[in-house]
Amino acid sequence: MNLHEYQSKRIFAKYGIPIPKGEVAITPSQARDIAVRLGGPVVVKSQVLVGGRGKAGGIKVAQTPDEAEARADEILGMNIKGLTVKKVLVDQAADIRSEIYLGAVLDRARRRVVLMASSEGGVEIEQVAAETPEKIVTVAVHPFLGLRDYQARILAEGIGLPKEHTRQFIKIAKGLYAAYMGSDASLAEINPLVITGDNQLLAVDGKIALDDSALFRHPDLAEMRDPDSESPAEVTARRHDLNYIQLDGEIGCMVNGAGLAMATMDIVKFYGGDPANFLDIGGGAQADKVATALGIILADEQVKAVLINIFGGITRCDEVAKGVLAAIESLNADVPFVVRLAGTNEKEGREILAEANFPTATTLAEAAQLAVAAAKGEQA
Amino acid sequence: MSILVNKDTRLLVQGITGREGAFHTQQMIEYGTNVVAGVTPGKGGEWAVGNTPVFDTVMDAVNATEANASIIYVPARFAPGAIIEAADAGLDLVICITEGVPALDMVEVRAFLDTTNTRLIGPNCPGIITPEEAKVGIMPGHIHTKGHVGLVSRSGTLTYEVVYALTSRGIGQSTAVGIGGDPIIGTTFLDVLQLFEDDPDTEQVVLIGEIGGTDEQKAAEFIANRMSQQVTAFIAGQTAPPGRRMGHAGAIISGGEGTAAEKMAALKAAGA
């Protein structure tokens, strides 16, 4: 789950990281009022969960409250990469002398949280990594020791930060690490961290991505989720603990296990079809969860055939079969289904489907070919 | 021969009285696995799944039954504690089936395990099976047959798919290991390949990877320089759109690192 800029920066502030004064507006007149309160030039920033807001015209400077209202009027309602802007952050404009990057991320290979700094602020770190990797300095943090001052000093020195800022930089780096750990983040970045005209470090923009698996211990953060950043189908899926991603094809796929779901999509494509979605019902799904999953797939009007591929381990095939029949009955489904059940309780599962005169496939290859043919209107 | 689990495995089940724990303990016993004890805090002294004694702590269970491996079915929020408890009791092998364990908890767990001799498999994995000897996990036992192909995989159900294909062609397996799909796991491809390399009974190896991370590339290096057996690899997620997370926390492509194409190229170059 990703947090908005204003949410991320508020968390940073809680951990002692300096951020510009600012407030969120949902109407142009609110933006004007905020600009009046802040005094002086402001930046009006669209709050949508995509990158490249600036390039899309979603971030604008305003010298006066009138201008702030006009800019907010332009930005609110704007469509940025498919998302409608519903909120703007109105921040006091910073007097920027130079920009750096500071981020925290989980390094899978080192199995540590790593702090990264770069002299190239305001640019996506992925781009820096690809073009000038020597400009990125990293330190790995031992979980039982936490981030130590010397490590932050290594970062500051490595990016050539003027010595007068080292002290404040250490404080910010430790704040960022604490924010990362305290919110169970998977990514926390300040980009850019700027040096202002009066020689202060200031977190002008920031981003936090949270580990969904840890949200159970952060109900306050879980509430920050922006429902507009997900399609209704994705919201339903998440509420039922299903992993669903909508794609552009015509073959709805319901699979247990992420790896098998991806392999199923690959095989559908191999036989000339296009998957309509990625859907992993997870381990141990019960009949009602299966029915919900099918409901989500069938709500997609592009779907011309449904391929169900279950290899039961912790998931029991008889539960899946019951769910499939219940869903088809209640949803009045008129698209063709191809079901492939194998593994735990497969015999019971197949019997349940056979009693309802439901066609089943034995192998994944066979099932994928049948589904592709069915989607093209051929007899399965 | 085989790796990690066999006839001599004396298995302890953490979370034996839960719904999944009980169901799969039954299945493991039916397969022939020697399940010697269960642990559920507060239920020590009871019996579960037929005649398996239940203990309050792993230490009690190990002292009473000489268990040498543990499998964990407890909910995600209790799984890190369960792994640490098992390692602290001195078990050689701990297999964590639980999915959805917070990544930062696993960073701590791994740092602790580095100070012990315990090998962790998982979390978020199907477990390990050595056909006809021990099934320590949630995989359907009947699709496996004894043989000489070792499997190692990041995915659960995809492994079953491959095992099923092997068995139906009359090709048996030495041991199949699911290492799990999370960003921080106890045992990597590299570790398991090393074990297979040292196992005289494993003549060929199948590696099943997916998008995200760089473990497959590291495996490729090992295959090229050290493996004597033929390795066949499959990478899932060739058609996955970049930047989208496909269920496993690990299965995300970012910064041009971890695409299916990259991994397949690395493994092909290594002769897989």
Side-chain angles (χ1 to χ4, degrees):
Chain A
M1 168 183 158
N2 295 318
L3 296 181
H4 281 296
E5 175 196 357
Y6 75 94
Q7 296 166 326
S8 307
K9 290 200 313 205
R10 278 177 193 169
I11 292 173
F12 290 158
K14 256 201 271 176
Y15 288 92
I17 298 170
I19 62 167
K21 274 189 191 141
E23 288 172 52
V24 173
I26 54 171
T27 66
S29 72
Q30 282 178 356
R32 185 196 158 82
D33 295 344
I34 296 167
V36 170
R37 278 199 291 278
L38 292 174
V42 296
V43 191
V44 183
K45 310 175 86 174
S46 54
Q47 299 297 294
V48 281
L49 293 171
V50 288
R53 291 173 300 159
K55 272 190 202 140
I59 298 179
K60 292 207 168 116
V61 179
Q63 299 299 331
T64 65
D66 282 345
E67 261 187 53
E69 183 169 3
R71 297 294 88 82
D73 190 42
E74 289 160 18
I75 294 172
L76 286 164
M78 186 186 258
N79 187 305
I80 301 180
K81 295 183 184 169
L83 294 173
T84 305
V85 181
K86 292 191 173 167
K87 281 179 189 161
V88 291
L89 172 64
V90 183
D91 259 1
Q92 213 163 42
D95 173 16
I96 298 172
R97 194 183 289 166
S98 61
E99 303 182 319
I100 57 178
Y101 170 96
L102 181 64
V105 70
L106 182 62
D107 184 331
R108 303 163 61 128
R110 284 193 267 189
R111 304 190 298 264
R112 296 274 188 269
V113 175
V114 161
L115 258 75
M116 300 182 285
S118 156
S119 54
E120 305 295 291
V123 186
E124 286 201 14
I125 194 70
E126 287 83 359
Q127 195 187 329
V128 181
E131 289 166 9
T132 49
E134 71 281 0
K135 288 191 174 159
I136 300 177
V137 188
T138 66
V139 292
V141 185
H142 192 288
F144 302 155
L145 299 176
L147 181 74
R148 296 297 165 124
D149 286 13
Y150 79 90
Q151 294 182 298
R153 217 170 276 127
I154 288 171
L155 294 178
E157 235 169 63
I159 61 168
L161 187 75
K163 283 211 169 1
E164 57 192 297
H165 301 297
T166 306
R167 217 168 167 177
Q168 201 192 0
F169 180 84
I170 292 173
K171 202 176 153 244
I172 291 173
K174 290 178 103 167
L176 182 66
Y177 179 71
Y180 186 96
M181 300 305 287
S183 47
D184 269 297
S186 54
L187 171 80
E189 61 180 18
I190 307 172
N191 191 21
L193 176 63
V194 308
I195 303 176
T196 62
D198 53 357
N199 264 325
Q200 293 299 308
L201 293 176
L202 189 66
V204 163
D205 200 348
K207 174 156 93 180
I208 293 181
L210 301 170
D211 176 3
D212 289 336
S213 298
L215 279 177
F216 69 85
R217 56 187 170 209
H218 303 286
D220 51 330
L221 298 178
E223 264 176 35
M224 290 185 184
R225 191 187 293 273
D226 177 359
D228 295 332
S229 67
E230 298 171 312
S231 69
E234 284 169 341
V235 175
T236 312
R238 183 169 45 72
R239 292 214 176 111
H240 291 87
D241 246 343
L242 300 160
N243 284 309
Y244 172 80
I245 295 173
Q246 193 164 351
L247 303 167
D248 297 327
E250 72 286 342
I251 296 175
C253 300
M254 185 183 92
V255 188
N256 64 327
L260 188 57
M262 286 190 283
T264 303
M265 289 160 59
D266 291 348
I267 288 169
V268 163
K269 205 130 187 171
F270 179 80
Y271 285 113
D274 257 315
N277 63 275
F278 165 91
L279 198 161
D280 166 18
I281 60 170
Q286 309 272 300
D288 55 337
K289 197 165 167 184
V290 170
T292 309
L294 279 179
I296 291 169
I297 290 175
L298 294 169
D300 179 353
E301 284 170 8
Q302 294 213 54
V303 169
K304 296 204 181 79
V306 177
L307 168 58
I308 298 172
N309 182 27
I310 302 296
F311 214 119
I314 207 159
T315 306
R316 301 167 207 175
C317 291
D318 51 334
E319 282 285 339
V320 174
K322 281 182 213 156
V324 169
L325 292 182
I328 289 171
E329 202 167 300
S330 69
L331 296 165
N332 264 327
D334 56 357
V335 297
F337 275 69
V338 179
V339 185
R340 187 279 182 121
L341 297 174
T344 306
N345 294 358
E346 62 177 59
K347 212 174 119 249
E348 293 84 341
R350 288 209 196 113
E351 276 167 15
I352 291 169
L353 292 176
E355 270 168 35
N357 283 322
F358 213 82
T360 54
T362 320
T363 67
L364 173 52
E366 182 195 345
Q369 290 175 70
L370 286 173
V372 172
K376 290 182 178 152
E378 294 161 21
Q379 195 60 43
Chain B
M1 279 272 292
S2 53
I3 65 169
L4 298 167
V5 299
N6 55 36
K7 288 191 297 287
D8 302 324
T9 299
R10 296 175 60 81
L11 189 67
L12 157 80
V13 180
Q14 288 174 262
I16 193 168
T17 54
R19 179 177 171 270
E20 299 303 339
F23 176 80
H24 286 286
T25 300
Q26 182 66 44
Q27 300 261 312
M28 289 190 292
I29 292 171
E30 279 169 20
Y31 192 80
T33 310
N34 186 14
V35 177
V36 297
V39 168
T40 298
K43 297 202 173 168
E46 296 180 17
W47 299 83
V49 195
N51 53 358
T52 310
V54 181
F55 299 86
D56 281 321
T57 67
V58 175
M59 193 74 83
D60 289 347
V62 171
N63 286 341
T65 67
E66 288 174 27
N68 57 14
S70 169
I71 186 163
I72 296 174
Y73 290 102
V74 308
R77 62 183 72 191
F78 304 119
I83 298 168
I84 291 168
E85 183 182 352
D88 204 25
L91 289 172
D92 302 327
L93 180 67
V94 178
I95 295 130
C96 184
I97 303 299
T98 310
E99 69 176 280
V101 179
L104 291 181
D105 288 356
M106 284 310 301
V107 172
E108 279 195 355
V109 168
R110 276 301 317 248
F112 173 68
L113 291 181
D114 288 346
T115 69
T116 71
N117 294 318
T118 301
R119 176 187 291 287
L120 170 69
I121 303 282
N124 190 12
C125 77
I128 312 172
I129 184 167
T130 293
E132 291 174 26
E133 294 197 27
K135 164 174 128 83
V136 182
I138 58 173
M139 64 291 281
H142 73 271
I143 60 171
H144 298 79
T145 43
K146 199 167 188 57
H148 305 286
V149 174
L151 284 98
V152 57
S153 169
R154 268 166 76 181
S155 158
T157 49
L158 187 51
T159 317
Y160 313 158
E161 193 71 58
V162 174
V163 166
Y164 183 74
L166 288 174
T167 294
S168 38
R169 283 165 183 73
I171 305 166
Q173 306 91 42
S174 54
T175 302
V177 186
I179 58 173
D182 280 359
I184 309 284
I185 50 177
T187 298
T188 63
F189 279 129
L190 204 63
D191 304 323
V192 180
L193 288 178
Q194 177 75 63
L195 294 171
F196 278 135
E197 170 66 24
D198 298 340
D199 175 28
D201 215 31
T202 298
E203 292 164 5
Q204 280 195 50
V205 175
V206 177
L207 180 150
I208 304 158
E210 59 186 31
I211 53 171
T214 52
D215 276 3
E216 288 84 351
Q217 289 89 321
K218 280 189 205 145
E221 218 170 283
F222 183 82
I223 292 165
N225 301 327
R226 305 279 300 280
M227 286 294 279
S228 53
Q229 299 108 318
Q230 173 64 40
V231 179
T232 306
F234 178 88
I235 306 290
Q238 298 167 50
T239 58
R244 298 303 301 266
R245 185 184 272 229
M246 294 287 169
H248 284 174
I252 184 165
I253 307 178
S254 57
E257 181 183 271
T259 63
E262 262 172 65
K263 296 184 179 209
M264 290 165 78
L267 286 159
K268 255 186 208 151

